[in-house]
Amino acid sequence: MAAELDVSRFYARLGRLHAHFLKHRDGIWQGAGCLSLHRGQMNDDEPYLKSVVLHQYLFGWELPDTILLLTETGDCFVLAAKKKCEFLEAAVGKTPTGSSIIGLTLLTRNKSDGNAENYETLMEAVTAKNGSNGDKKKVGVLMKEWPSEKRESIGGPLVSGWEKSLTGADGLDVSDATPGLSLFMSIKEESELDLMKKSSVLSNKILKHGFIKRIEEVIDSELNVTHTQLSGEIDGIIEDPSKINLKVPKEHVQSCYFPIVQSGGEYDIKISAQSTEKSLKYDIVTVSLGSRYQNYCSNVARTFLVDPPKEVSETYEVLLSMQEECLRAMVPGRPLKSVYATAVNFLKSSEKSFLVRHLPKNLGFSIGLDFRDPNLVLSAKNSIHFRPGMVFTLSVGFAGVPLSGSAKSAANSKSAVKDIKEYGLLISDMVVISENSKSGEVMTKHGKSLTDISYTINDDDDSSDDDDNGKGGAATNGDEEYARKVAKAPDNVVNGKRRSSRLESTNEAIQNAHEGTAERERRQIALMTRKNEERLRELARSARNKGDDGESDKAEELRAYDRTKDYPDSVLPNQVKVDMVNQCVILPICGNPVPFHISTIKNVVLPDPDSATYLRINFYTAGMAVGKDAPANMAKLVQKYAPYASFIREMTFRSLDSHNLTQAFRQISELRKRARQKELRELEEANLVKQAKLVRTKTERVPRLSDLTMRPVFAGRKTQGNLEAHSNGLRFISMRGEIVDIMYPNIKHAIFQPCENEIMVLVHFHLRHPIMLGKKKQQDIQFFTEVIDASQTVDAGRRSMYDPDEMDDEQRERQLRRKLNEAFKEFCRKVENVAKKNGFSLEFDIPYRDLGFNGNPHKEMVFIQPTLNCLVNLTETPFFVVNLSDVDHVHFERVTFMSKAFDIVLINKDFSKQPWRVDMIPNDDKESIQEWLTDMELSYTEGPMNLNWKQIMGTVAGDDRFYMDTEEDEVTKKEAGWSFLRMFGNDEEESDDGDEDDSEFSEGNDQESEESEEEEEQSEFDSESESESDYDADEDLEEQGMDWDDMEREAAAADRQKRKRDDVDDEVDVRAKRRGSRGGAQSRGGAQRRGSAPPPPRRKAAPIKRRRR
């Protein structure tokens, strides 16, 4: 044999086996006095026999047709052929000191006497000290390999002869040593655990780079592949990992079993299942595969969902949660059956308790050199306890779960899920039991969250058509289809000629666009009503939870000295003195030094000296603007004392000696500068929240991204370094040793933006609370890597499109993009797993590039993209990040037929903050943006003009009934919320109200109605003013000499005419505003000019029905 025996390992493992045998002999070893562990002939069909596994454990090789006898005293006998004895000769006489093994005796096979002498030697060792008190002496054997009536001996002449000797001996009995051997070998030593981890990593890599890559190619290319073909391809990768660029020697790798791939509604989640010859279906695909690395087995299984209905996704989420609970039950000291009980209890307490009957009979098994140990199965009755060092395959799943009709109808019409009646789900992972761990440690790290295993290959474009064509779920038969075709046929014929299909499709597209716009408007009206109600409830809750904020608005009294004795010693009666320590200026008034705090000084002026030097000090006073640079506390003090206190406005000092006043001027200026900087620094740090200390990961490999650039930078310099993910946060370490820690709980939104048409790939973190970066507080931190340089040198000469160098550059750039995208994506996945493992919730969003649009949020045009929770531009600085949950309403400005672009204003729910703006958005993107806003349940309005939002927000913030549809009397109607920004108002409601009022008015007096209509039409063209018309009426009264009754009737008619004229004027104004006139912007109930706040709402007069001639 070319191989050599590892003597030290052999004696160490044999000694542990003997110690375990002595310790548990009366228990799991069933009272055996010695162990006869023999191995039969070579058989490749049964690679996991216990004797094969034992030989691989002790010798590192399989020694067929060999007898191993281990006695109670520690004597070890081996009977084998000559070559095998030569292999074991190196261990003879080298028993280590302190070992329980006395010695190793080798017996060479002797064909001349049929091994009679060897059998006699072994029998003497068996009967030496075995049994007592007249009981039969027991020999522990591997009962599954022992010959019986149903099973012939699997050994050769050597082993079968020894089996006959033991069977025919008087006073001897055999017992099963398999349970004891299983328990002993289930506890792995460090070297074994290392091989198990490598084997798990190998299975993980084959799943990720072998199966997943292949199935994505099959789905993308719509190939017809059978389950067995796909399983064969995966098995070939396991046997030769170099196919996926894994540098693993082929002789060290084997397949545990033929991979299992299932789809199409036929699922068997047992490990003994087999792949069928049927074609792969794009519905629910399960895969199980296992690899052996240096004889140590590993197993992994995953379920992949293609266009899954919500019901299937929810069931999968339940399965994931159940696996987490099972992992928590896999701790030392607990029985194996607790895992199954935990799964059952979890399902019974969940909303899907019916899944209990779809559980398999066991949830996994012990694994190692033996792929599946039947004595250590995670069943409902196994009472063996978990011990540190054990490794299990935790295999959770559901089989035969029925798929409801509602789930099928909700699925996409093209989805293959509609064709299955029941489905199965399966997740298997390698789990090691650690000493002090609170749960089992998973060694197969491939992602199994819903986002990792779900694929969407069919869009939902046809869902609405399907619903319209088949309401009520009834299938459309042939007669109905024919009737529908006949009904639609005349639409294509005009004047006996058939219309062009191109024109027909164009008209149909226009009609669909109009219908979509109308439907969107209806949804927006309902959405705005619902939003108003929600905001009212939110404001009511915030008002109840809001404490007494008056303490923060109180002014803090200034105090420089407690008494005059605290003045500096060098103060003189007629000298200006600056106390830099106490931040005050001591000024002489009538020979008495009076201190003034530095925050009371507005500015200080030192004019050019003439015959004397002058120093003028101006103070903050009431009755004039304090200015935006005034200290906040000083502004509060001025406002507090303004009603009853007298203020000093300025003081001027004159001196013939310029030295003192010049020095005082410099010191006062410096002190004001320091006070201002201190206030700004305190303002910066006012809302900072103290972060927890980063807990670094030291027990396992830390996910890391290298050579990153951070934005914003430290102190104006480019900051490069590495980003690491630890237990409770991320740490960035720059090349200069600067450290930035970002805690997981402080991350509000994490965004991963791959490099598609940009020059960089990045991860961006929008924080809940700002952190100090250098001397500034920042709420957005970004880490990126440039794929290409932002600027490239272009030579003067023309380059051909077939230039090989240019083609190579483009190829390298594409490869670099793909490589960086994969690296960043993998890092994000690892960060999510680390955060989840440590009890934090973190998920990376990816921008929807298809929904992006160009706009100007700051001072340049950028590409803005929505994510699941935000609207962002992350490639240019300053970053533009708008949290959609903070947006109350969206208003479109400059929406006219003449403009090529429009602006949008995103109004913050906090009315004290100014809205976000995005200007110069092309008109082509308006429909898609409005559709997206409607899907995100954000209300929007349109208007033809830019509004003065500073004044509008001030007015809205002071309106307590802004979201209510009535005035303070709770009777007078008004527009609720942001409805007053609508360009055309709510036409349906106005028309309904008008019809009701018209009917009541016409019932009263038809003749008077007609006369009022004629008078109204005349009033529209009447150019006389109200004063002139009233004067004319008075003259008519004087000339005709009317009596009192006539005068009252005439006055009543004049009053009616005046009211109607006012109503008409108001209506004309409304029409003018609807035509987009430049006279003002529409507000609630009245016109508003640009630059003015919206006026308070007024009562709406009852409209009067008019007839046109």
Side-chain angles (χ1 to χ4, degrees):
M1 284 188 176
E4 295 182 359
L5 176 67
D6 190 337
V7 177
S8 61
R9 188 182 68 179
F10 166 72
Y11 276 114
R13 294 183 174 180
L14 186 63
R16 282 196 295 271
L17 174 61
H18 183 253
H20 190 275
F21 167 66
L22 293 180
K23 184 177 181 180
H24 304 282
R25 183 176 60 176
D26 295 332
I28 200 168
W29 291 98
Q30 301 182 11
C34 64
L35 302 176
S36 177
L37 309 173
H38 48 265
R39 170 75 182 100
Q41 292 181 333
M42 183 76 73
N43 185 4
D44 293 335
D45 295 334
E46 294 180 313
Y48 301 120
L49 288 175
K50 197 58 91 176
S51 58
V52 177
V53 171
L54 178 63
H55 280 211
Q56 292 172 346
Y57 177 74
L58 293 177
F59 310 124
W61 298 88
E62 180 183 354
L63 304 181
D65 207 16
T66 302
I67 298 173
L68 174 66
L69 182 68
L70 183 62
T71 66
E72 179 185 355
T73 59
D75 291 314
C76 182
F77 296 88
V78 177
L79 173 59
K82 182 179 180 181
K83 288 186 177 181
K84 299 182 182 69
C85 290
E86 292 176 354
F87 171 71
L88 298 174
E89 187 68 33
V92 177
K94 295 183 179 180
T95 306
T97 304
S99 176
S100 61
I101 302 299
I102 297 177
L104 174 65
T105 303
L106 301 179
L107 303 176
T108 305
R109 183 178 61 182
N110 187 1
K111 294 183 179 180
S112 59
D113 62 348
N115 293 303
E117 183 179 355
N118 293 330
Y119 292 156
E120 184 178 353
T121 303
L122 294 177
M123 192 63 67
E124 290 177 356
V126 170
T127 58
K129 291 183 180 181
N130 192 8
S132 60
N133 301 326
D135 296 336
K136 280 191 175 183
K137 302 174 181 179
K138 291 185 178 181
V139 179
V141 299
L142 302 177
M143 196 62 70
K144 187 176 180 180
E145 303 177 29
W146 190 260
S148 62
E149 296 179 358
K150 298 181 180 180
R151 181 186 178 96
E152 297 180 356
S153 175
I154 61 175
L158 182 66
V159 173
S160 59
W162 172 242
E163 292 173 345
K164 292 178 181 179
S165 299
L166 288 176
T167 305
D170 295 333
L172 287 181
D173 195 4
V174 294
S175 62
D176 193 5
T178 305
L181 198 59
S182 296
L183 182 61
F184 164 71
M185 295 187 64
S186 66
I187 303 173
K188 311 294 189 296
E189 57 189 50
E190 289 297 328
S191 59
E192 290 182 285
L193 289 177
D194 183 62
L195 291 174
M196 294 289 291
K197 290 180 180 179
K198 291 180 179 179
S199 178
S200 302
V201 170
L202 177 62
S203 297
N204 199 65
K205 294 285 186 181
I206 293 171
L207 174 67
K208 178 179 179 181
H209 301 291
F211 176 79
I212 294 179
K213 184 177 180 181
R214 177 55 178 160
I215 197 174
E216 288 177 351
E217 291 177 355
V218 170
I219 294 176
D220 289 341
S221 304
E222 298 183 356
L223 302 178
N224 186 12
V225 181
T226 64
H227 298 142
T228 52
Q229 288 177 348
L230 194 55
S231 300
E233 294 178 13
I234 304 306
D235 189 65
I237 295 176
I238 297 175
E239 298 291 340
D240 185 10
S242 62
K243 293 181 180 180
I244 55 174
N245 300 323
L246 288 181
K247 298 180 180 179
V248 182
K250 293 176 61 175
E251 59 271 15
H252 290 173
V253 182
Q254 289 177 295
S255 177
C256 292
Y257 58 92
F258 195 70
I260 307 168
V261 180
Q262 301 176 95
S263 68
E266 298 179 2
Y267 303 96
D268 185 359
I269 61 176
K270 297 178 182 178
I271 199 64
S272 58
Q274 294 182 352
S275 302
T276 64
E277 292 291 341
K278 295 183 179 180
S279 298
L280 180 73
K281 301 296 183 183
Y282 308 150
D283 43 27
I284 300 172
V285 183
T286 62
V287 58
S288 299
L289 59 91
S291 62
R292 299 177 72 189
Y293 178 75
Q294 294 188 11
N295 297 323
Y296 282 88
C297 303
S298 62
N299 182 59
V300 65
R302 290 291 184 269
T303 301
F304 298 92
L305 309 179
V306 184
D307 291 332
K310 185 178 181 181
E311 178 182 310
V312 177
S313 300
E314 291 176 349
T315 306
Y316 185 82
E317 292 283 4
V318 172
L319 181 63
L320 281 179
S321 301
M322 187 184 76
Q323 189 197 34
E324 292 293 331
E325 293 297 323
C326 293
L327 286 172
R328 295 189 183 96
M330 299 178 70
V331 293
R334 298 192 64 176
L336 270 61
K337 62 183 179 181
S338 65
V339 177
Y340 199 91
T342 299
V344 173
N345 294 334
F346 173 80
L347 292 178
K348 287 182 178 179
S349 62
S350 68
E351 297 179 356
K352 297 196 175 186
S353 57
F354 69 93
L355 291 174
V356 173
R357 59 178 177 270
H358 298 285
L359 282 173
K361 293 183 178 180
N362 62 76
L363 299 180
F365 43 81
S366 176
I367 190 171
L369 289 169
D370 190 356
F371 176 71
R372 182 181 183 275
D373 197 322
N375 296 291
L376 297 173
V377 177
L378 301 178
S379 63
K381 299 180 180 179
N382 200 330
S383 59
I384 297 177
H385 288 72
F386 287 106
R387 292 174 171 82
M390 287 183 170
V391 180
F392 287 85
T393 288
L394 178 61
S395 182
V396 296
F398 303 126
V401 182
L403 186 63
S404 64
S406 60
K408 293 182 181 180
S409 60
N412 189 280
S413 59
K414 301 178 183 178
S415 175
V417 179
K418 287 181 172 291
D419 299 331
I420 64 177
K421 296 181 180 179
E422 56 183 29
Y423 62 94
L425 302 174
L426 178 64
I427 300 174
S428 293
D429 281 306
M430 297 286 292
V431 181
V432 59
I433 309 301
S434 303
E435 179 69 40
N436 298 320
S437 179
K438 296 181 180 179
S439 65
E441 180 184 350
V442 178
M443 293 192 292
T444 45
K445 302 291 187 179
H446 190 274
K448 49 183 175 286
S449 63
L450 195 59
T451 55
D452 294 326
I453 54 89
S454 296
Y455 295 89
T456 302
I457 61 175
N458 296 310
D459 297 330
D460 294 334
D461 296 337
D462 300 334
S463 59
S464 60
D465 295 339
D466 295 341
D467 294 341
D468 294 340
N469 295 337
K471 290 183 179 180
T476 306
N477 55 30
D479 296 338
E480 291 176 344
E481 279 190 16
Y482 180 72
R484 188 178 293 109
K485 289 181 180 179
V486 171
K488 290 184 177 180
D491 294 341
N492 299 333
V493 181
V494 179
N495 297 330
K497 298 181 180 180
R498 183 168 296 277
R499 187 184 301 170
S500 168
S501 60
R502 179 177 61 84
L503 295 178
E504 179 187 354
S505 62
T506 303
N507 292 334
E508 184 178 357
I510 295 174
Q511 182 179 0
N512 292 337
H514 287 313
E515 292 177 355
T517 303
E519 176 63 24
R520 193 165 61 244
E521 286 296 327
R522 287 192 292 269
R523 291 174 61 186
Q524 277 291 318
I525 293 173
L527 175 63
M528 187 170 290
T529 303
R530 179 162 54 85
K531 284 286 185 180
N532 290 339
E533 297 175 355
E534 292 177 358
R535 287 291 288 156
L536 280 174
R537 289 193 292 268
E538 290 177 7
L539 294 176
R541 285 194 299 268
S542 62
R544 287 195 300 269
N545 298 331
K546 188 176 181 181
D548 186 11
D549 295 338
E551 296 294 332
S552 60
D553 295 335
K554 288 184 178 180
E556 181 182 354
E557 297 295 337
L558 302 176
R559 182 182 295 272
Y561 306 104
D562 293 333
R563 53 187 181 272
T564 57
K565 293 181 180 180
D566 297 335
Y567 286 3
D569 297 336
S570 57
V571 173
L572 297 178
N574 294 315
Q575 189 178 30
V576 177
K577 178 66 177 178
V578 180
D579 189 352
M580 303 292 287
V581 177
N582 293 308
Q583 295 185 347
C584 73
V585 181
I586 302 175
L587 301 177
I589 300 178
C590 300
N592 296 317
V594 179
F596 290 84
H597 197 273
I598 190 63
S599 61
T600 63
I601 298 176
K602 185 175 184 180
N603 55 46
V604 57
V605 181
L606 183 70
D608 294 335
D610 193 3
S611 58
T613 302
Y614 293 88
L615 179 67
R616 185 170 70 250
I617 301 176
N618 298 320
F619 299 90
Y620 292 107
T621 62
M624 58 186 304
V626 293
K628 62 180 181 180
D629 294 334
N633 186 58
M634 190 61 206
K636 295 177 183 177
L637 286 172
V638 171
Q639 185 179 5
K640 176 181 178 182
Y641 291 103
Y644 53 86
S646 298
F647 289 81
I648 298 175
R649 182 170 182 179
E650 69 175 54
M651 296 178 67
T652 303
F653 299 90
R654 176 180 179 273
S655 176
L656 297 177
D657 185 7
S658 63
H659 175 73
N660 181 47
L661 294 184
T662 304
Q663 183 181 3
F665 171 76
R666 289 197 300 266
Q667 290 179 342
I668 294 173
S669 300
E670 178 64 22
L671 192 56
R672 290 186 68 250
K673 180 181 177 182
R674 292 182 185 179
R676 178 63 178 167
Q677 290 177 349
K678 180 182 178 182
E679 184 183 13
L680 292 177
R681 184 167 60 253
E682 291 176 351
L683 189 63
E684 284 280 331
E685 300 175 358
N687 57 346
L688 290 178
V689 177
K690 186 177 180 180
Q691 293 195 98
K693 188 176 180 181
L694 184 77
V695 179
R696 301 188 64 181
T697 302
K698 298 180 180 179
T699 57
E700 58 185 17
R701 190 173 181 180
V702 177
R704 179 182 290 105
L705 273 180
S706 304
D707 300 329
L708 299 181
T709 303
M710 185 182 74
R711 292 192 296 185
V713 298
F714 275 105
R717 297 174 295 176
K718 189 174 183 180
T719 307
Q720 291 182 319
N722 302 330
L723 182 64
E724 302 174 347
H726 292 278
S727 299
N728 64 335
L730 298 151
R731 168 164 286 185
F732 177 78
I733 306 176
S734 69
M735 300 300 182
R736 296 187 292 269
E738 299 157 329
I739 295 178
V740 178
D741 292 338
I742 304 175
M743 301 296 108
Y744 295 140
N746 195 30
I747 298 176
K748 190 172 185 178
H749 299 296
I751 303 172
F752 160 57
Q753 180 173 304
C755 176
E756 296 184 5
N757 296 331
E758 296 83 6
I759 64 171
M760 63 181 67
V761 54
L762 59 88
V763 288
H764 187 95
F765 299 101
H766 183 69
L767 307 181
R768 300 179 187 275
H769 307 289
I771 62 174
M772 293 300 294
L773 196 61
K775 296 182 180 180
K776 296 183 179 180
K777 98 183 149 178
Q778 305 289 346
Q779 199 166 5
D780 290 278
I781 309 293
Q782 183 183 110
F783 306 96
F784 69 93
T785 295
E786 289 186 347
V787 180
I788 58 176
D789 294 334
S791 60
Q792 293 182 344
T793 304
V794 181
D795 51 7
R798 295 183 59 185
R799 302 184 67 177
S800 171
M801 61 181 295
Y802 302 105
D803 186 359
D805 295 336
E806 188 171 354
M807 295 174 66
D808 291 343
D809 292 342
E810 292 178 356
Q811 181 67 19
R812 282 193 295 271
E813 182 182 329
R814 284 194 295 269
Q815 293 177 354
L816 181 60
R817 287 176 184 270
R818 185 165 54 250
K819 181 179 178 181
L820 287 176
N821 287 340
E822 287 295 328
F824 273 69
K825 183 179 180 181
E826 182 67 16
F827 175 77
C828 294
R829 187 186 64 81
K830 291 180 179 179
V831 172
E832 290 178 350
N833 293 336
V834 170
K836 185 177 180 181
K837 181 179 178 181
N838 292 277
F840 300 100
S841 176
L842 179 64
E843 185 173 353
F844 282 83
D845 287 344
I846 299 178
Y848 302 121
R849 187 171 185 85
D850 296 340
L851 299 177
F853 55 90
N854 292 305
N856 178 12
H858 297 295
K859 293 184 179 180
E860 62 177 333
M861 293 293 291
V862 296
F863 188 67
I864 300 174
Q865 307 174 76
T867 67
L868 185 63
N869 302 304
C870 303
L871 186 65
V872 300
N873 170 259
L874 306 175
T875 55
E876 304 295 336
T877 54
F879 305 125
F880 180 72
V881 180
V882 177
N883 186 7
L884 297 181
S885 61
D886 294 336
V887 177
D888 187 27
H889 181 75
V890 181
H891 183 64
F892 290 70
E893 295 182 334
R894 296 194 303 117
V895 179
T896 63
F897 293 105
M898 294 180 292
S899 63
K900 296 181 180 179
F902 63 93
D903 311 330
I904 63 174
V905 178
L906 299 106
I907 303 173
N908 200 318
K909 289 182 178 179
D910 186 357
F911 293 158
S912 63
K913 298 179 180 179
Q914 287 299 305
W916 298 279
R917 291 189 61 88
V918 181
D919 299 331
M920 297 302 296
I921 304 174
N923 278 343
D924 295 340
D925 296 324
K926 184 165 75 74
E927 293 291 330
S928 60
I929 294 175
Q930 291 181 348
E931 187 69 30
W932 170 69
L933 290 174
T934 305
D935 292 339
M936 298 301 294
E937 293 193 342
L938 288 174
S939 60
Y940 68 84
T941 51
E942 297 180 2
M945 299 180 63
N946 292 110
L947 305 179
N948 189 332
W949 287 101
K950 185 175 182 179
Q951 294 188 8
I952 290 177
M953 297 308 296
T955 304
V956 170
D959 188 358
D960 295 335
R961 304 182 63 83
F962 177 69
Y963 290 104
M964 301 182 185
D965 58 355
T966 58
E967 298 290 355
E968 294 182 357
D969 59 4
E970 297 185 355
V971 176
T972 306
K973 294 292 184 179
K974 72 177 183 68
E975 292 178 309
W978 301 103
S979 301
F980 72 94
L981 293 175
R982 289 186 180 277
M983 185 187 299
F984 300 106
N986 196 341
D987 295 336
E988 296 180 0
E989 295 180 1
E990 292 180 0
S991 61
D992 295 341
D993 295 342
D995 292 342
E996 294 177 1
D997 294 338
D998 293 343
S999 61
E1000 294 176 359
F1001 185 83
S1002 59
E1003 289 176 1
N1005 191 346
D1006 295 339
Q1007 183 177 359
E1008 186 176 357
S1009 172
E1010 293 178 2
E1011 293 176 356
S1012 63
E1013 291 171 3
E1014 294 176 0
E1015 292 171 355
E1016 181 183 354
E1017 292 177 358
Q1018 293 174 3
S1019 65
E1020 293 181 0
F1021 304 96
D1022 190 6
S1023 61
E1024 295 181 350
S1025 65
E1026 292 181 13
S1027 60
E1028 293 175 350
S1029 62
D1030 293 341
Y1031 179 78
D1032 293 341
D1034 293 341
E1035 288 182 346
D1036 294 338
L1037 288 175
E1038 292 176 359
E1039 291 176 359
Q1040 295 177 5
M1042 297 181 182
D1043 57 9
W1044 285 105
D1045 294 335
D1046 295 335
M1047 290 172 63
E1048 288 178 356
R1049 284 194 297 268
E1050 193 74 10
D1055 290 340
R1056 280 198 307 272
Q1057 182 177 359
K1058 181 179 179 180
R1059 285 197 302 270
K1060 295 166 187 176
R1061 186 187 302 113
D1062 292 340
D1063 292 339
V1064 171
D1065 291 340
D1066 290 342
E1067 189 167 330
V1068 171
D1069 291 340
V1070 173
R1071 291 177 179 174
K1073 285 180 287 185
R1074 291 181 179 178
R1075 290 192 296 268
S1077 66
R1078 302 189 179 185
Q1082 184 178 1
S1083 176
R1084 292 188 297 168
Q1088 174 199 350
R1089 294 190 178 276
R1090 182 176 181 178
S1092 62
R1098 61 178 176 81
R1099 298 183 181 181
K1100 187 186 297 183
I1104 299 175
K1105 186 175 181 181
R1106 299 187 304 275
R1107 296 178 182 174
R1108 297 194 179 274
R1109 296 181 179 179

